[in-house]
Amino acid sequence: MRPIDRNEVLGIGEYEAIRERFRSRVIEEKRPRRVRIGDHLTAVFENRDSVLFQIQEMLRTERITGESGILHEIETYNDLVPGEGQLSLTLFVEIPDRALRDKMLVDLVGLEDTVSLDVDGVAARALGKREGAMEDRTTAVHYLKVDLPAEAQAAIKAKKAAVSLVVAHPRYAVKVPLGRATLEKLAEDLL
């Protein structure tokens, strides 16, 4: 998948003019890409639209108008665009209660190292960057990529694969089969 290019990113004023339509479209695009993993985790499989939306929203929220700031946001978020033969996902620990969330972030230390995608019984491990990782707790958001073997890619593209998202943490072990709508989006990502 091609990274976001500078000429695709609108200025804040231009973005405001199309924001509601673009936002609505991306929210609909993300719906089948969002996968609930047990009671406290959610994954969103990223694509170019979701990344472009994130860049535009960051520029808007932070009121970034300088070229160096814009380029920094593009470079930062382009890490979420899946490469060839990859899927990209953002993993969220979603616990509204602050005390419970703080406890779970300690209990789930190492969570980012226990995520994989199971395609027809073959596990492909999700990997993320380790900068800023803490030894005594995990973070509430993880950016992960899954490099898929050729056979797994072909099976997903053919829409004949049994695919599950797996978390194998000792304190949070869950295997969630992906639905048809999600698999169709993943097949699009691999084209």
Side-chain angles (χ1 to χ4, degrees), residues 79-147:
D79 277 348
L80 298 179
V81 176
E84 188 174 333
Q86 282 185 333
L87 295 173
S88 177
L89 63 107
T90 302
L91 181 69
F92 299 94
V93 178
E94 294 182 322
I95 304 171
D97 180 85
R98 184 179 179 155
L100 178 58
R101 181 178 58 247
D102 287 345
K103 179 188 179 319
M104 287 293 291
L105 293 177
V106 170
D107 289 347
L108 294 176
V109 67
L111 171 69
E112 61 277 13
D113 297 324
T114 68
V115 180
S116 63
L117 199 66
D118 183 294
V119 181
D120 290 334
V122 177
R125 189 167 166 219
L127 300 172
K129 292 186 177 178
R130 301 294 298 163
E131 304 99 49
M134 297 172 269
E135 290 184 27
D136 62 340
R137 66 187 292 128
T138 194
T139 60
V141 180
H142 299 278
Y143 303 106
L144 305 170
K145 287 193 176 176
V146 180
D147 289 308

Side-chain angles (χ1 to χ4, degrees), residues 1-179:
M1 197 174 288
R2 188 172 51 84
I4 304 300
D5 190 68
R6 171 62 181 98
N7 65 14
E8 295 175 88
V9 178
L10 301 175
I12 293 173
E14 294 170 289
Y15 179 60
E16 286 293 345
I18 65 142
R19 180 174 183 256
E20 279 312 307
R21 286 189 318 273
F22 184 57
R23 183 176 175 274
S24 294
R25 186 175 65 75
V26 172
I27 287 170
E28 282 306 308
E29 172 70 20
K30 282 178 137 182
R31 197 173 314 277
R33 294 174 169 280
R34 182 176 297 278
V35 178
R36 190 82 179 141
I37 310 166
D39 294 334
H40 301 300
L41 300 179
T42 302
V44 175
F45 287 95
E46 304 288 355
N47 69 353
R48 290 188 88 255
D49 279 347
S50 67
V51 172
L52 179 57
F53 177 70
Q54 187 64 38
I55 292 168
Q56 291 289 177
E57 287 294 307
M58 285 302 295
L59 297 178
R60 177 182 182 269
T61 302
E62 300 294 327
R63 309 307 292 169
I64 298 170
T65 58
E67 191 64 19
S68 65
I70 293 168
L71 292 173
H72 174 75
E73 295 302 318
I74 293 169
E75 180 182 340
T76 298
Y77 287 101
N78 261 338
D79 277 348
L80 298 179
V81 176
E84 188 174 333
Q86 282 185 333
L87 295 173
S88 177
L89 63 107
T90 302
L91 181 69
F92 299 94
V93 178
E94 294 182 322
I95 304 171
D97 180 85
R98 184 179 179 155
L100 178 58
R101 181 178 58 247
D102 287 345
K103 179 188 179 319
M104 287 293 291
L105 293 177
V106 170
D107 289 347
L108 294 176
V109 67
L111 171 69
E112 61 277 13
D113 297 324
T114 68
V115 180
S116 63
L117 199 66
D118 183 294
V119 181
D120 290 334
V122 177
R125 189 167 166 219
L127 300 172
K129 292 186 177 178
R130 301 294 298 163
E131 304 99 49
M134 297 172 269
E135 290 184 27
D136 62 340
R137 66 187 292 128
T138 194
T139 60
V141 180
H142 299 278
Y143 303 106
L144 305 170
K145 287 193 176 176
V146 180
D147 289 308
L148 293 168
E151 304 79 36
Q153 292 176 51
I156 291 172
K157 288 179 194 177
K159 300 175 188 167
K160 295 180 180 180
V163 182
S164 296
L165 194 52
V166 179
V167 176
H169 191 279
R171 297 208 169 187
Y172 199 98
V174 182
K175 182 175 183 177
V176 179
L178 302 185

